Amino acid sequence: MRDVAFVVYPDYSTMALAVVMAFEVANSVAETPPYELHFVSETGGKIRTSCGMMLESEPFTEMPFHTLFVGGATTPKPSTPGLITYMRDAPKRHRRIAAICTGAFVLAEAGLLDGHNATTHWMHAPLLQAQYPAVKLDQDRIFMNDGPIWTTAGGAAGLDLSLALIENDLGADFAKLVARELVIYHRRTGGQSQISTLLDLTPKSDRIQAALAYARDNLHKPLTVPDLADAARLSPRQFSRAFHAETGQSPAKAIENLRVEGARNLMEQSRHSIDEVARQTGFSDRDHMRRAFVRAFGQSPQALRRMARLETNAYREASELMIQA
């Protein structure tokens, strides 16, 4: 049995509680529940969350937890002295400490992120970096770990982190079972970007959205303007005008960004050769893909794959050290 605790405080974001679901499901699908869940707070008793829901909690104690989660408020605000004191002592007691979204501010206030790699929600990343310059912040990651400390982007990314921790504890097959129960296709790796190309485009009309959805699902095809216009049920001329007006980009640039995003995910998550990744994402050849990567990321596909593998190896080494501890 692994004790997993969730630090809560007034105006704690209910979105951060999404991570609880993964451990709850893990308990429900295992023959013997592997996790004991706790909610802890400075005062104990009922804590009012950001949506007004009251959450019952245990008061802070010196009890050691296998994993301690700290969620954030919808808008970061200074922590109480009691919470800061509790978090400063946390590395001495708990094997893993994870901050969800703006929970990174709590860890930073306690000095736990000084000199460490960390991430947080992209919207609040500039403020975190300005207030705590000693943090090695990477705002373009779903989640990161540096030793026993883990940080995530938005609240939904907490589910990805939870699945990674469950995989660390109980193996990949069990984590996949939990993901299926949660109706999650697969967990995202920590190296994935927080910003999706489709979300960044934000077209207003259903027709342009339909064209982008068609493009996303058919990256291996040529995807000419007539193809996209047909998916949008517009003439090519009408489509080009409407697309630029709604997205601020040409169809060609948007398609290249979608191809780059798809190729990066394949480079980081699969063992496919560079030629195969280029083929599956619609690049004419590996050189064309390399030039697109350099324009988008300032790095080649090989460099990004090496970086992803280094992050994976660091995660595995940290996991092994925690298992041995």
Side-chain angles (χ1 to χ4, degrees):
M1 183 69 72
R2 299 166 176 83
D3 288 289
V4 177
F6 304 87
V7 175
V8 295
Y9 47 84
D11 295 326
Y12 182 92
S13 173
T14 50
M15 187 62 185
L17 292 173
V19 298
V20 179
M21 295 173 58
F23 296 98
E24 182 182 4
V25 169
N27 282 343
S28 71
V29 299
E31 290 185 9
T32 301
Y35 297 105
E36 180 75 27
L37 306 182
H38 305 261
F39 296 92
V40 299
S41 69
E42 184 176 354
T43 59
K46 291 185 180 351
I47 300 297
R48 186 182 181 88
T49 66
S50 59
C51 72
M53 178 179 71
M54 304 300 289
L55 191 65
E56 192 68 42
S57 66
E58 308 166 28
F60 289 157
T61 69
E62 295 186 359
M63 176 179 176
F65 296 114
H66 186 271
T67 307
L68 183 73
F69 279 95
V70 183
T74 304
T75 301
K77 60 182 182 180
S79 300
T80 64
L83 176 56
I84 295 302
T85 299
Y86 181 75
M87 292 310 305
R88 280 179 181 156
D89 292 338
K92 302 173 187 176
R93 293 205 247 351
H94 315 305
R95 294 181 67 184
R96 297 188 300 212
I97 301 169
I100 309 300
C101 194
T102 58
F105 282 79
V106 179
L107 268 59
E109 283 182 275
L112 301 189
L113 298 184
D114 287 355
H116 289 279
N117 297 300
T119 191
T120 191
H121 193 291
W122 62 268
M123 186 183 298
H124 302 290
L127 178 61
L128 180 68
Q129 190 68 89
Q131 290 185 344
Y132 306 102
V135 179
K136 297 178 180 178
L137 189 67
D138 188 336
Q139 66 184 55
D140 194 32
R141 287 292 182 269
I142 294 297
F143 65 82
M144 297 185 72
N145 87 286
D146 193 335
I149 296 177
W150 303 71
T151 49
T152 77
L159 274 176
D160 299 292
L161 171 60
S162 296
L163 289 170
L165 297 179
I166 290 170
E167 180 177 330
N168 172 33
D169 294 339
L170 302 167
D173 290 340
F174 188 83
K176 288 176 183 177
L177 175 61
V178 173
R180 284 197 296 271
E181 289 290 318
L182 289 167
V183 198
I184 297 175
Y185 179 64
H186 61 81
R187 78 166 173 84
R188 296 172 292 177
T189 59
Q192 282 192 252
S193 174
Q194 291 189 30
I195 306 299
S196 164
T197 296
L198 285 178
L199 289 176
D200 203 31
L201 289 170
T202 61
K204 298 178 179 63
S205 70
D206 291 342
R207 291 188 174 189
I208 301 302
Q209 289 177 11
L212 286 170
Y214 172 82
R216 178 198 60 200
D217 295 337
N218 293 275
L219 288 178
H220 60 286
K221 295 181 178 179
L223 296 177
T224 63
V225 167
D227 293 332
L228 299 173
D230 186 60
R233 298 184 180 181
L234 294 169
S235 71
R237 180 174 296 181
Q238 288 175 318
F239 173 76
S240 293
R241 283 201 302 264
F243 191 94
H244 193 277
E246 292 190 28
T247 68
Q249 296 184 20
S250 68
K253 182 62 177 175
I255 296 306
E256 178 176 286
N257 289 340
L258 285 172
R259 293 193 196 282
V260 165
E261 182 175 77
R264 178 176 179 174
N265 289 340
L266 277 177
M267 290 291 296
E268 293 181 344
Q269 299 178 45
S270 76
R271 296 182 178 274
H272 294 322
S273 68
I274 293 176
D275 289 327
E276 178 63 15
V277 170
R279 187 191 68 77
Q280 288 193 25
T281 52
F283 288 103
S284 57
D285 53 48
R286 61 188 294 161
D287 289 336
H288 183 197
M289 186 173 79
R290 183 188 62 78
R291 290 193 294 272
F293 266 62
V294 171
R295 282 193 294 272
F297 307 120
Q299 298 184 69
S300 68
Q302 295 94 324
L304 286 171
R305 171 169 272 180
R306 284 194 297 271
M307 185 182 303
R309 286 177 176 172
L310 286 172
E311 289 181 353
T312 299
N313 290 336
Y315 161 73
R316 287 174 179 167
E317 288 174 4
S319 299
E320 290 173 0
L321 286 174
M322 284 185 285
I323 291 172
Q324 294 168 9

